[in-house]
Amino acid sequence: MDAQAEADFREFVANRSSALLKTAVLLCGGDRHTAEDLLQNALIKVAGRWNRIDEPEAYVRQVLYRQQVSRWRLKWPHRELSVAQTPETSTTADAPSAAELRLVMRGALARLTARQRTVLVLRYFEDLPEADVARILGCSVGTVRSTTHRSLARLRTLAPELAALGPAKAEQQPSQTNSPVEVHP
């Protein structure tokens, strides 16, 4: 890589790594450390091809998705988060704060399978049509539809407080709209 290309790559990483990390965190179920590893590996792969890339951000996102797909296709056992007590649910009539909703969403996403989480991130966070998701994941549109349906049903089961949101907060609930789900690492 020549000096100009290296400078361009460094500038891209400085400007876009925050947004790319948010996507990686969602793909990894809220595990920031795993997301950082996923993003770093993607950037390493991209650095070697930097001079031949026309749209760097799209290319990096594609590498992220494919690496995540490769990770959940491995036969390694999946780690589960164990807690001593189940989280308490709010008994007050007050609406949950945005921070609480993000935590609930992050926890629910973490309890989905990697495949389910990936499909939801691509469909609702990245706002990709079903055909594009199917192409990225190497499956049929029907598989994307059924996985999306099962994933949303599982999310509703894992986080029923999200279903109780009013129309004013509907943009934070992926099952009611195609708006992006915002989870801050």
Side-chain angles (χ1 to χ4, degrees), residues 3 10 23 26 30 47 58 67 69 77 80 85 88-89 92-93 101 109 114 123 132 159 165-166 175-176 180:
R10 287 179 185 271
T23 299
L26 288 170
Q67 281 187 310
V69 167
E80 293 184 14
Q85 295 179 335
E88 296 179 15
T89 57
T92 64
L101 290 174
L109 283 172
R123 283 286 291 129
D132 289 351
L165 293 176
S175 61
Q176 291 182 353

Side-chain angles (χ1 to χ4, degrees), residues 63-122:
V63 171
L64 279 173
Y65 306 145
R66 291 186 186 236
Q67 281 187 310
Q68 182 62 14
V69 167
S70 295
R71 289 183 59 207
W72 52 257
R73 284 186 176 158
L74 294 175
K75 299 293 183 193
W76 296 352
H78 298 282
R79 295 184 302 175
E80 293 184 14
L81 179 63
S82 300
V83 293
Q85 295 179 335
T86 58
E88 296 179 15
T89 57
S90 175
T91 57
T92 64
D94 297 333
S97 71
E100 289 172 334
L101 290 174
R102 282 193 303 270
L103 289 173
V104 168
M105 179 61 78
R106 180 181 292 172
L109 283 172
R111 293 173 54 196
L112 294 175
T113 66
R115 180 183 200 116
Q116 290 174 325
R117 190 170 47 247
T118 302
V119 168
L120 289 182
V121 168
L122 292 174

